Amino acid sequence: AQSVAQPEDQVNVAEGNPLTVKCTYSVSGNPYLFWYVQYPNRGLQFLLKYITGDNLVKGSYGFEAEFNKSQTSFHLKKPSALVSDSALYFCAVSPLYGNNRLAFGKGNQVVVIP
Amino acid sequence: GAGVSQSPSNKVTEKGKDVELRCDPISGHTALYWYRQRLGQGLEFLIYFQGNSAPDKSGLPSDRFSAERTGESVSTLTIQRTQQEDSAVYLCASSLGRESGGNNSPLHFGNGTRLTVT
């Protein structure tokens, strides 16, 4: 069954510095990969997805993620973090073929320090 | 437009009681998911509905949990004889699913129902 690992519990970064949130995945065959964000007291929102094609995917709010098949990773990045980026970030994976179950990681709390 | 709507937003119940949680998906979304989010933990898959296909119930933690969906509309998640470990936020999500967008359609989440079992 598909699974996601987000190894860090919390990521602290100073405002204006680059932000990276790590994600590795396990899936049978090729993956669909997603990042979702959960702001305080709000529901989860879709950020970006990787299906096929260019390994660098650009999404909402200036975020991007790079698919690395050999390392089975899909790290989320932002060149310059904002205080408003402080939130809970979830990586998710489902197989390209087969079941449609989207498996989520445990989430990473990102804290951007002013 | 309207998003995914869940009710109630909060539910406090006594141990042993049954509860019913409701989800109204986005109109036209054929796929509907239920997830559970315990405090400090990730999203735990519960059940998935896709059109008229048999639901994927593989994530339901016990036979106390069940879910139904009326066509491609409202879904209810029922927990019988609630236990304290059932306390969590129950999230519903819908997507275009297979027919319109294939497996790659992003999920649209509701704000969840916070269930507290005392």
Side-chain angles (χ1 to χ4, degrees):
Chain A
Q2 52 270 31
S3 65
V4 167
Q6 294 183 247
E8 300 157 314
D9 288 332
Q10 182 163 311
V11 175
N12 295 325
V13 61
E15 186 176 24
N17 281 4
L19 169 63
T20 298
V21 188
K22 295 180 180 178
C23 169
T24 58
Y25 66 89
S26 173
V27 71
S28 178
N30 291 323
Y32 282 123
L33 291 157
F34 300 81
W35 277 99
Y36 287 82
V37 60
Q38 187 174 34
Y39 296 104
N41 301 315
R42 293 175 65 180
L44 275 86
Q45 299 176 31
F46 167 75
L47 261 186
L48 51 78
K49 66 182 180 185
Y50 170 82
I51 308 301
T52 59
D54 194 349
N55 289 344
L56 184 64
V57 178
K58 295 188 184 295
S60 307
Y61 312 122
F63 283 92
E64 58 188 30
E66 187 164 12
F67 170 60
N68 187 318
K69 188 171 184 178
S70 63
Q71 297 184 5
T72 61
S73 68
F74 190 57
H75 301 328
L76 181 70
K77 300 180 181 182
K78 185 170 183 178
S80 178
L82 301 172
V83 172
S84 57
D85 293 329
S86 298
L88 193 55
Y89 291 81
F90 290 93
C91 182
V93 68
S94 69
L96 189 66
Y97 300 107
N99 74 73
N100 290 322
R101 191 181 329 138
L102 194 60
F104 283 81
K106 66 177 174 59
N108 285 127
Q109 183 67 49
V110 169
V111 177
V112 182
I113 303 162
Chain B
V4 177
S5 177
Q6 291 188 246
S7 59
S9 55
N10 281 284
K11 177 72 176 178
V12 180
T13 189
E14 293 180 352
K15 178 181 172 181
K17 300 284 189 182
D18 297 352
V19 295
E20 213 173 72
L21 312 181
R22 177 186 170 104
C23 173
D24 283 273
I26 293 172
S27 178
H29 280 193
T30 59
L32 188 147
Y33 299 76
W34 283 97
Y35 286 87
R36 177 167 71 177
Q37 186 178 22
R38 287 192 171 121
L39 187 64
Q41 299 186 26
L43 275 69
E44 177 187 359
F45 168 78
L46 297 177
I47 189 168
Y48 161 67
F49 296 90
Q50 170 62 57
N52 294 321
S53 301
D56 177 353
K57 302 180 181 181
S58 59
L60 294 178
S62 77
D63 59 8
R64 295 187 296 106
F65 288 73
S66 63
E68 293 184 350
R69 188 180 186 192
T70 308
E72 294 184 351
S73 183
V74 172
S75 175
T76 55
L77 176 69
T78 302
I79 309 173
Q80 295 178 312
R81 305 180 303 281
T82 52
Q83 304 294 313
Q84 287 184 332
E85 63 263 27
D86 299 335
S87 296
V89 175
Y90 289 81
L91 293 168
C92 176
S94 70
S95 79
L96 289 171
R98 278 184 190 160
E99 283 82 14
S100 300
N103 292 348
N104 59 345
S105 300
L107 271 61
H108 298 258
F109 282 86
N111 288 332
T113 294
R114 182 176 299 277
L115 176 66
T116 303
V117 182
T118 61

